[in-house]
Amino acid sequence: MKKKTIGWILLGLVVFGAVSFASYHIYQEKMIQSEKANKEMLNKRLTELYEDQQSGYFKPDISSATFDDLATEVKNQRGDSRTLEDIAQAKQNFEIQIRLNDLFERDVLNGLDLSAHPVLKAPKENQIQTVKEQLKESSAKEKEWGQDIAMLLSIAETQSKDFSSAENDVENLVNKGSDLTLSDYLTGVKTLAVLPDGKFKQHLLDKLAPVKNQLANENANFATQIQQSDASMENAKKNYQERQAKVLAERNKELTALKKELMKKQETYDSYKDALESLEDSKKEESSRKEAEDSRSHDSDSHTSSESSDSNSSEEAEDD
């Protein structure tokens, strides 16, 4: 075999190896970029479960299943283990919020909204302590979300103690029977007076109604004093609720300001996003144009190489 033929074969092998290596390198780069883009997309999905991830507030009206679905998607796409850990931690924090809300008659924290008048369902000191312990272990306990959870748990503790005291006093009044005096009644209902209106308070009032009616029927003067006691109870309840509502109203103002700030940030983000998408589209168009030019250049080189090879083959045939 002529030296020229061997040279062309070796050159072909070198070119083939170089092209193969380049193709593999491009494939690797594409895989890395794809994995990076996938990770960013999944992290973005997690971020979208928050009203504001930095301060820790979740989107309103989501559920624990939302986090489970995202975790399943990450596993199916072989996502980063760190992303799975972040989702698991976020779900634990969200479930703290669920357990907090379950203590009250209505949700006291939903998104960036705080209830102005939280009312506990019943005395639940054990459940409150459980949620407090879980909050201590939370990664978000120092965030604004965690501080609001702690504030609401403090309200729950106060109400739970007041509920228990009022329940004991009502039980004592009912158990006195015919030995009950007006003085006993007026002293006993003081703890009931400060309770916020709700199902538990109404339960105690219904339980106390026969005792109240018994005293009122025994003496007209008693009835007048009981009416005065009822008015006093109403004022005490109002003052108690106003003090509590003042703290929550101030915090709601801060959260409203945060909402406005987040809206402005979102508008800025959307503007940047539109600009970036336009830039990316331009880059893709430029890349496609260059690839088309490279392809035409490659075809031209291949054609020239083929003609040169045919010419050399003819020369070798003549030499033979």
Side-chain angles (χ1 to χ4, degrees):
M1 184 179 291
K2 299 292 184 179
K3 290 182 178 180
K4 287 184 178 180
T5 303
I6 295 173
W8 279 110
I9 292 173
L10 290 174
L11 178 61
L13 290 173
V14 170
V15 171
F16 177 76
V19 171
S20 298
F21 176 78
S23 298
Y24 178 73
H25 181 69
I26 292 171
Y27 170 77
Q28 285 280 66
E29 283 294 320
K30 286 184 176 179
M31 286 296 294
I32 292 171
Q33 290 299 322
S34 176
E35 289 176 1
K36 183 180 178 181
N38 187 50
K39 181 180 177 181
E40 289 177 352
M41 181 271 291
L42 293 171
N43 284 334
K44 184 172 181 288
R45 289 278 305 280
L46 175 59
T47 301
E48 288 172 349
L49 298 182
Y50 290 88
E51 280 283 5
D52 179 38
Q53 192 171 24
Q54 184 176 354
S55 54
Y57 294 99
F58 295 99
K59 286 280 189 185
D61 305 322
I62 60 174
S63 68
S64 294
T66 310
F67 296 91
D68 294 333
D69 293 342
L70 182 56
T72 299
E73 186 175 348
V74 172
K75 291 175 183 176
N76 290 340
Q77 297 190 26
R78 297 180 181 178
D80 186 46
S81 60
R82 178 62 184 272
T83 302
L84 283 172
E85 291 173 7
D86 291 343
I87 293 171
Q89 184 62 67
K91 181 183 177 183
Q92 288 176 12
N93 291 338
F94 181 71
E95 288 181 342
I96 289 174
Q97 180 174 310
I98 289 177
R99 295 186 187 100
L100 170 76
N101 284 329
D102 283 344
L103 296 171
F104 294 88
E105 290 189 358
R106 295 183 181 86
D107 286 355
V108 290
L109 178 60
N110 188 24
L112 285 168
D113 292 323
L114 280 174
S115 171
H117 301 288
V119 180
L120 207 62
K121 290 178 180 176
K124 294 188 174 185
E125 292 183 19
N126 291 336
Q127 292 94 318
I128 293 169
Q129 289 304 315
T130 298
V131 180
K132 285 184 69 176
E133 290 301 319
Q134 291 170 343
L135 181 62
K136 286 181 182 179
E137 302 299 322
S138 169
S139 60
K141 63 184 176 183
E142 300 299 333
K143 293 184 177 182
E144 292 180 55
W145 170 87
Q147 293 171 13
D148 283 347
I149 294 285
M151 177 184 66
L152 290 163
L153 284 170
S154 177
I155 290 173
E157 277 189 305
T158 299
Q159 286 193 9
S160 183
K161 290 174 183 177
D162 291 342
F163 279 20
S164 294
S165 296
E167 185 175 33
N168 289 333
D169 288 342
V170 169
E171 284 290 339
N172 290 334
L173 291 175
V174 171
N175 291 335
K176 282 183 178 292
S178 58
D179 294 330
L180 178 68
T181 65
L182 178 62
S183 177
D184 292 332
Y185 175 84
L186 296 177
T187 301
V189 295
K190 287 181 180 179
T191 53
L192 183 59
V194 298
L195 299 188
D197 288 338
K199 293 179 181 178
F200 188 78
K201 181 177 183 178
Q202 188 59 51
H203 163 70
L204 294 182
L205 288 171
D206 291 343
K207 197 170 186 178
L208 191 62
V211 174
K212 177 181 174 181
N213 293 334
Q214 172 191 327
L215 288 172
N217 292 334
E218 287 178 359
N219 190 303
N221 186 44
F222 282 5
T224 301
Q225 292 187 54
I226 288 173
Q227 287 178 352
Q228 292 173 348
S229 173
D230 288 345
S232 177
M233 284 176 62
E234 187 64 28
N235 288 331
K237 178 198 72 176
K238 184 179 178 181
N239 291 334
Y240 175 87
Q241 291 182 342
E242 283 178 351
R243 289 195 303 272
Q244 178 178 275
K246 184 178 180 181
V247 175
L248 291 169
E250 289 174 355
R251 183 63 189 134
N252 267 319
K253 285 182 182 178
E254 294 172 357
L255 291 176
T256 299
L258 178 59
K259 282 183 187 178
K260 291 179 180 178
E261 181 184 342
L262 291 174
M263 285 176 66
K264 288 181 179 178
K265 285 183 178 180
Q266 185 64 44
E267 289 173 0
T268 304
Y269 169 78
D270 290 341
S271 177
Y272 282 138
K273 183 181 177 184
D274 291 341
L276 285 172
E277 286 177 351
S278 178
L279 181 61
E280 286 297 320
D281 289 341
S282 297
K283 286 182 177 179
K284 286 178 182 178
E285 289 177 4
E286 180 65 17
S287 177
S288 298
R289 185 183 63 79
K290 286 184 177 180
E291 286 179 2
E293 289 179 355
D294 291 343
S295 177
R296 287 195 297 270
S297 176
H298 177 72
D299 291 343
S300 177
D301 290 344
S302 298
H303 181 68
T304 302
S305 175
S306 175
E307 288 180 347
S308 177
S309 176
D310 291 343
S311 177
N312 289 333
S313 298
S314 298
E315 289 177 1
E316 289 172 3
E318 288 175 1
D319 290 341
D320 291 342

